[in-house]
Amino acid sequence: MRARLLWALPALLWSCAAPPQQEGHVVLQRQDRAAPPADPLRDDAGCLRPAPEVPKAPPPPHHLSGQLGLWVAEVDPVTLRPVRALAVNPDSVFPLASTYKQAVLWALLRDIDAGRVQPTERFDVTRENQSLGSYPFDDSDVRTLTERMIRNSDNTATDILHRRVGLGAVQDVADRLGLCRTRLILPTKDWWVAQTGLSATFNGTSRWAAARGEEQRRLAELIDADSRKYRADYVQRKLNDHFDHRKDDAVDAQVYNLSTPYEFGTLVAQEFLRPDLSEPSRRWQRDVMALGFGKSALNLTHQKRVRYVGAKGGNGWQLLTYSGYVETTDGHHLVYVFMQRGADQTYTMPNTRRAFAWINAALKDLLTRPVDATP
């Protein structure tokens, strides 16, 4: 039986007061105005409730190991409500790896619109801000860093922009949507410094994993200050030693930015369909997100002509993530989120083909199902 979908993306609640009533020349203001209805999608703390009950996605390819999660949905572009969806473990928490970087782009463009960041700003790579892997040339401008962050998954470009807007501004991308199981606050270098035992702040507290709000921001700033003390090459050596000899799954799960397939699908849909950006910033967002990996791996051409794909993936030790938004020429708006942790493979990029085989199978199944007519 088709599940009844009572799900919609959280958005800003606009108060719509009734206009004053006219009686002769006297304006009568109603004093008994009813309180706005409670949001059925959020709990009393304002957090998005668990995923609705939807049909299960097709089984994953045999060689996709570890814990797997998937959320695939078609979303109404006006209401941001899913009209049909499939899922596996939609409420399980997974590390995001580099998939989180699209939230940095969104937070940055909000700050550009607000005048807090100028697109002409330029940045150098320093001992403090260099992260692992390759990095941009000195004097790179904001647009160059955003493109490297999404197309190349450049960690240093990401950390420069993440710190420029502020750690809390990126976390606010999730908090505004009530995504209470989603953590986006730490720049990339911070994960690895904490993971390898180099952060005195992380080592000295048991409160980090459950921290929210101001406490989370305060601890994140301290962890970030710890990370900026170390050269990237030293952190890389310590990380190699960690994975070779001292890997601790419990610690690894605490240090990464995190989400669930359902919550991150909520973020992706809102990001592309209602980002609350100026038109120039929205074009910037779409152009840069189109550089992320995903379009070439999708197999929708035999069913739908694809007009646009915005995507981002990430990988780490035994983990792999992919997310994307797909717009077809005949008006379908699709969101997919794939997550894997605890894979048999330590280097997971070869699992990409299998991951997209599953994503494609789920999209194909989704598009054959009737649209939910629930108002």
Side-chain angles (χ1 to χ4, degrees), residues 40-353:
L41 307 173
R42 302 196 191 196
D43 61 21
D44 292 342
C47 297
L48 187 69
R49 296 184 188 276
E53 184 178 349
V54 298
K56 194 169 184 177
H62 176 67
H63 294 293
L64 274 180
S65 57
Q67 184 183 8
L68 301 171
L70 187 69
W71 174 261
V72 174
E74 180 178 359
V75 180
D76 184 295
V78 177
T79 65
L80 303 191
R81 179 177 175 274
V83 295
R84 44 188 170 180
L86 302 173
V88 170
N89 294 327
D91 294 316
S92 295
V93 176
F94 293 82
L96 283 168
S98 292
T99 295
Y100 107 97
K101 294 174 182 177
Q102 59 198 288
V104 178
L105 175 63
W106 194 2
L108 171 76
L109 293 172
R110 284 176 174 171
D111 271 12
I112 288 175
D113 281 350
R116 292 186 291 267
V117 175
Q118 300 303 314
T120 55
E121 292 181 30
R122 294 180 177 273
F123 301 87
D124 292 338
V125 178
T126 67
R127 179 183 183 277
E128 286 193 351
N129 68 27
Q130 184 184 345
S131 188
L132 305 190
S134 61
Y135 48 88
F137 292 112
D138 285 346
D139 204 34
S140 292
D141 62 14
V142 174
R143 180 61 181 251
T144 299
L145 295 182
T146 63
E147 292 178 357
R148 286 190 62 92
M149 176 172 64
I150 301 301
R151 181 186 57 225
N152 306 101
S153 210
D154 188 305
N155 295 317
T156 298
T158 302
D159 287 7
I160 289 172
L161 295 176
H162 193 152
R163 294 188 180 108
R164 176 63 184 87
V165 299
L167 307 191
V170 181
Q171 181 62 42
D172 189 55
V173 169
D175 292 350
R176 287 188 184 194
L177 301 177
L179 309 183
C180 297
R181 304 180 74 189
T182 297
R183 182 167 68 219
L184 305 173
I185 198 166
L186 291 181
T188 69
K189 190 178 176 184
D190 295 14
W191 318 335
W192 296 307
V193 165
Q195 194 171 27
T196 54
L198 294 173
S199 169
T201 302
F202 182 80
N203 295 342
T205 183
S206 61
R207 301 180 62 85
W208 166 248
R212 298 292 183 271
E214 288 305 314
E215 182 181 37
Q216 183 187 55
R217 284 158 171 74
R218 179 181 63 83
L219 291 174
E221 293 287 353
L222 292 171
I223 292 171
D224 186 56
D226 291 341
S227 80
R228 288 184 278 115
K229 297 174 184 177
Y230 298 100
R231 287 173 54 100
D233 56 349
Y234 178 71
V235 176
Q236 182 67 73
R237 289 197 300 272
K238 296 292 286 185
L239 191 66
N240 293 342
D241 180 64
H242 170 77
F243 287 134
D244 288 344
H245 305 293
R246 298 184 294 105
K247 185 176 186 301
D248 186 336
D249 290 334
V251 171
D252 293 352
Q254 292 179 37
V255 300
Y256 287 111
N257 290 330
L258 306 164
S259 191
T260 72
Y262 173 59
E263 285 203 351
F264 209 74
T266 300
L267 185 151
V268 170
Q270 184 94 13
E271 170 190 0
F272 284 97
L273 290 169
R274 195 178 294 161
D276 296 322
L277 297 173
S278 67
E279 188 55 34
S281 289
R282 190 167 187 176
R283 287 197 302 269
W284 183 338
Q285 180 190 47
R286 286 174 67 91
D287 289 349
V288 170
M289 287 302 299
L291 303 175
F293 180 80
K295 184 174 183 178
S296 63
L298 292 171
N299 186 26
L300 291 172
T301 55
H302 65 291
Q303 301 175 62
K304 305 289 179 187
R305 294 186 61 189
V306 174
R307 174 183 286 125
Y308 175 82
V309 176
K312 186 71 188 83
N315 74 294
W317 186 274
Q318 296 184 298
L319 64 93
L320 185 67
T321 55
Y322 284 108
S323 71
Y325 163 77
V326 183
E327 185 178 315
T328 67
T329 56
D330 57 351
H332 294 270
H333 300 265
L334 309 171
V335 169
Y336 65 85
V337 178
F338 162 86
M339 296 180 173
Q340 178 187 33
R341 63 178 299 183
D344 293 342
Q345 302 81 11
T346 55
Y347 179 62
T348 56
M349 286 302 291
N351 288 343
T352 294
R353 179 179 57 81

